[in-house]
Amino acid sequence: MDREQGSAQVAVSLRCARDEALAALLKDRLAHDRRTEHLQLDVRVDGAIAHVSGGVGSEDERALVRRLLRQQGGIYAVWDLLQLPAQRLEVADFGCGGHKQIPGAYGVDQVLMPGVDAVADLERELPFDSDAFDHIFAIHVLEHIHNLLGLMRELHRVLRPTGVLHVFAPHWRHPNAIADPTHVRMIHVQTFKYFCEPHPEVAPWRPLMVTASDDTVHADLQPLKDGPLASSVELARWFA
């Protein structure tokens, strides 16, 4: 084994150890909070992304779990597929290509291929009813979109009020952002602040979590359809 291979194996081992430690912290947080200690949730961490699934008793309980999970340092994003009693989550993967982030998700792409359930042009109005989905994954998609304001309005429309949009995009300072000639825009954490503030052309979002690693900007956003906009404290938490 040469030095480069040895370094790569060490890096993988360290990432695995980090993910296991973060998962243990999340489980401990939920188990020792009297409000969530009764829940039977599956919790794992992969690449500092928390994957959490299971049942919750009410919408307030789901909101609480989401908040507790996102308080953990070292986590970049939380993919929380939390179901209410008798609820079937409607999950969509936009720009899925041949690989869905969540098995069984409804795959949407501009090109028909195995795994794609619906063909849609993300630059135009989406062919879905309002409030159709509980979760939408847009993983390395937004950097390809010319009409980003229009797409974000459409994602806002087709998500339910308690739904979450999960985004990954290349960090604008990383070579990955400019290495792909099909990228048409740069993405920064502050890009998502624009969508969480009042602008006439924006359907507003609440930032559940917005972070950045060296190569990726991560955002978990909830559509605001009723009630107040995100407070200055919420905005400062992620965009200070």
Side-chain angles (χ1 to χ4, degrees), residues 18-19 22 45-50 74-77:
R18 174 205 60 191
D19 287 346
L22 287 170
V45 177
D46 184 6
I49 309 303
I75 295 290
Y76 289 131

Side-chain angles (χ1 to χ4, degrees), residues 30-63:
L30 295 174
H32 289 86
D33 189 307
R34 61 177 178 80
R35 299 167 296 178
T36 57
E37 61 185 2
H38 63 285
L39 296 175
Q40 300 296 314
L41 301 178
D42 180 66
V43 180
R44 65 182 180 87
V45 177
D46 184 6
I49 309 303
H51 298 252
V52 183
S53 60
V56 292
S58 66
E59 193 56 64
D60 286 344
E61 195 167 70
R62 176 156 59 186

